[in-house]
Structure formats: structure tokens, C-alpha cells
Amino acid sequence: MERIYIGMGSNLAAPEQQLRNAIEALAQLPGTTVAGVSAFYQSDSLLPGQPRYTNAVAALDSCLAPLELLDALQAIENDQGRERLERWGPRTLDLDILLFGDRLIDEPRLQVPHYQMHLRAFVLYPLAELAPATLQLPDGRRLSDLLAACPFVGLERMPALSTQR
Ligand code: ROI
């Protein structure tokens, strides 16, 4: 059993409902429990000309292997109507493995920790709701230091109501 953090994002087709549906689907995965879900946050897209995103982070405890989990996440994305038309394009649902226990994974299909998580306020602030500030990435970087270097700018934390099922 390992603690895994999943970054979730949507900017199409009722983003909050997309995230709620994704949480339900994560809870159905074999050998997996959802240990926590952050508040939902809204922010502008990092790329101009796209709708605003809603993002959140979920903590999982799972016995799945990393590539098994990746397959399962991609199946959930596809079930929720994800169309892969362009890289970085708007999407109904994006599920990223941010951290997987204290593993460093560098495979063609999967790099963990997620290579840009340290730059993204919409990942770090929801993650900080679930993980201790003393959390260390496998390379020794501390969550508290990543937060200190990534200002809470352009993020709008949504009322807790939006996370209720
Ligand atoms: N911008 C925000 N705010 N949230 C995202 O999840 C997100 N995902 C992306 C790009 C297009 C880079 N911008 C984003 O893939």
C-alpha cells in the first residue's frame, strides 16, 4: 500500500462535476481507497485562449503498480469524454500522478514526481491541504520550500460546498 497524490483538472463540460465524477471513479479502483480530497480551486489556463480550469488534488492509498494506476487513470479520462486532439488542449478531465510513495519513476509513459508540479500553484496549494508541509519529494525537495517559491497568485479557492458529493 502506498500513498499517492493525484492532480485533477478540467476546463470543459461542467468542470466541477467532472472532478466529482472522477473522485467517484477513483474510489471504485481495485485495491484503492480515497484518503482525502482538497478543496476545488479555479484559475486561468497557463495557455491563453482556453476556459478557466478547476483543479483539485486527491490522496489515494493503493496497492496498484504505477503503470496499472496510469492505465486506470487514462481509462477514467476517456470514460469522461477526454478527446486527445492537441497536446495542452482544453480537456474534460486530466488526471496526473504527482507523487507515488517516495518513488522516482522515469519511464517513457510515466515520470514521477510530475515534472512541473513544483511550478504550479494549482497543484501545490491543494496538495498542501492533504500532505504535511514536511513532505519531501524523492529528490529531497520539501513541499514547504516549493510553496514558498510559488506564490498563491491567480488561484480562487472555491467554497467547500463545491466538493460535496
Ligand atoms: N492551467 C490551469 N490553471 N490548470 C490546469 O490544470 C492546466 N492544465 C494544462 C495547461 C493547459 C498547461 N494549463 C492549465 O494542461
Side-chain angles (χ1 to χ4, degrees):
M1 190 85 113
E2 288 176 85
R3 169 54 58 91
I4 298 150
Y5 294 100
I6 305 293
M8 305 188 285
S10 171
N11 73 340
L12 290 179
E16 291 167 56
Q17 193 59 47
Q18 297 291 343
L19 296 192
R20 281 191 287 264
N21 292 347
I23 294 158
E24 297 283 350
L26 291 171
Q28 304 299 318
L29 293 179
T32 302
T33 58
V34 176
V37 181
S38 74
F40 291 3
Y41 291 77
Q42 290 185 331
S43 57
D44 286 340
S45 174
L46 297 178
L47 293 180
Q50 286 189 25
R52 274 165 73 80
Y53 276 84
T54 304
N55 291 102
V57 171
L60 306 183
D61 289 317
S62 181
C63 301
L64 292 176
L67 291 177
E68 288 178 324
L69 180 62
L70 180 64
D71 286 338
L73 298 182
Q74 292 184 346
I76 295 169
E77 290 175 342
N78 292 337
D79 284 349
Q80 292 190 212
R82 170 100 176 243
E83 292 181 314
R84 294 169 196 279
L85 303 175
E86 42 166 335
R87 202 172 187 202
W88 316 121
R91 68 281 309 270
T92 51
L93 182 63
D94 190 28
L95 297 174
D96 290 333
I97 300 174
L98 303 171
L99 298 172
F100 199 113
D102 55 13
R103 297 190 200 213
L104 256 178
I105 302 170
D106 188 7
E107 298 190 28
R109 287 185 65 208
L110 183 62
Q111 296 84 44
V112 177
H114 188 275
Y115 73 118
Q116 285 192 325
M117 63 176 284
H118 64 289
L119 301 174
R120 295 181 167 183
F122 61 79
V123 170
L124 294 177
Y125 286 90
L127 175 62
E129 294 184 16
L130 304 174
T134 55
L135 179 88
Q136 280 183 289
L137 275 53
D139 63 7
R141 287 180 293 171
R142 280 173 174 267
L143 179 56
S144 55
D145 293 329
L146 302 182
L147 286 162
C150 186
F152 187 93
V153 169
L155 269 190
E156 189 181 334
R157 190 177 190 272
M158 301 173 72
L161 187 64
S162 60
T163 64
Q164 285 176 11
R165 301 197 203 159

